[in-house]
Each structure stands twice: as structure tokens, then as C-alpha cells.
């Protein structure tokens, strides 16, 4: 009985943490000035929020099949989000979407110049 109550409290805390990260990601997408910072916000905070939500699901269910799928989902998010964010940023840069005018360093610009 005590373990169930502790488990429910932990699941609730994890869901609040998840919701906070997802809210932060959505605010970043709305407020940041260019595609690169928006993509960064969505990929980092969104991935963490989704992963924590799946962790809460795994803890809440307690069934091995659901826990396995939730952990596989977390691994999938952690493997695909950085790759997709990198590809989005690369395509955006190569198609002419320049960083925000307040960007201080453009390290990628020198590597894409044609000789």
C-alpha cells in the first residue's frame, strides 16, 4: 500500500517535470528569433520532456511489455532527435536561411563556402 502511494507520487512528479520541459520547448519555439534556435529548443527540451513522460508511463504500468516499449521509445528519441535537428539545421543553412542577425559566431559558414 505504501509503495503504491509512493509510486503514484513519483509518477505525478515525473509528469510535472515532463510537462515543464514540453512547455519550455513550446515557448522556445514561439519566442526564439530564427529556425536554428527554435530547432534547438524543440529538439532538446521536447526530447527530454517526451523521455520523462515515457519513463513515468513505464513506472506507472509496471508491466514488462509496456516498460520495454517505453524504454525503447526513450532510446529512439535520444537517437533520432539530435540527428534530425542536425539535418534540419544543415538543410536550412544550405538553402540560404541565415542565422539571426544577433548571432555572434557562424562556424558553419566557413565550411560551406565554395572555392
Amino acid at each position: 500500500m505504501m509503495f503504491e502511494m509512493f509510486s503514484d507520487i513519483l509518477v505525478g512528479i515525473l509528469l510535472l517535470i515532463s510537462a515543464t520541459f514540453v512547455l519550455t520547448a513550446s515557448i522556445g519555439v514561439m519566442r526564439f528569433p530564427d529556425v536554428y534556435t527554435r530547432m534547438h529548443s524543440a529538439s532538446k527540451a521536447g526530447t527530454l520532456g517526451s523521455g520523462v513522460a515515457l519513463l513515468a508511463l513505464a513506472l506507472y504500468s509496471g508491466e514488462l511489455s509496456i516498460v520495454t516499449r517505453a524504454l525503447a521509445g526513450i532510446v529512439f528519441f535520444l537517437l533520432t532527435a539530435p540527428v534530425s535537428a542536425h539535418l534540419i539545421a544543415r538543410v536550412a543553412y544550405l538553402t540560404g536561411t541565415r542565422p539571426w542577425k544577433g548571432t555572434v559566431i557562424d562556424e558553419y559558414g566557413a565550411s560551406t563556402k565554395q572555392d
Side-chain angles (χ1 to χ4, degrees), residues 65-89:
S65 65
I66 295 175
V67 170
T68 304
R69 283 183 267 169
L71 293 177
I74 292 169
V75 170
F76 179 78
F77 275 130
L78 292 175
L79 291 176
T80 58
V83 173
S84 62
H86 173 76
L87 290 176
I88 290 169

Side-chain angles (χ1 to χ4, degrees), residues 54-55 57-73:
L54 285 173
L55 188 63
L57 168 72
L59 184 63
Y60 181 74
S61 73
E63 295 180 26
L64 182 61
S65 65
I66 295 175
V67 170
T68 304
R69 283 183 267 169
L71 293 177

Side-chain angles (χ1 to χ4, degrees), residues 18-95:
S18 172
T20 302
F21 278 109
V22 172
L23 177 66
T24 303
S26 63
I27 290 171
V29 168
M30 296 298 293
R31 300 282 303 182
F32 284 150
D34 66 348
V35 68
Y36 306 106
T37 53
R38 290 177 185 158
M39 175 265 320
H40 179 77
S41 171
S43 67
K44 303 296 183 211
T47 300
L48 190 57
S50 301
V52 173
L54 285 173
L55 188 63
L57 168 72
L59 184 63
Y60 181 74
S61 73
E63 295 180 26
L64 182 61
S65 65
I66 295 175
V67 170
T68 304
R69 283 183 267 169
L71 293 177
I74 292 169
V75 170
F76 179 78
F77 275 130
L78 292 175
L79 291 176
T80 58
V83 173
S84 62
H86 173 76
L87 290 176
I88 290 169
R90 181 173 167 79
V91 168
Y93 198 91
L94 292 176
T95 57

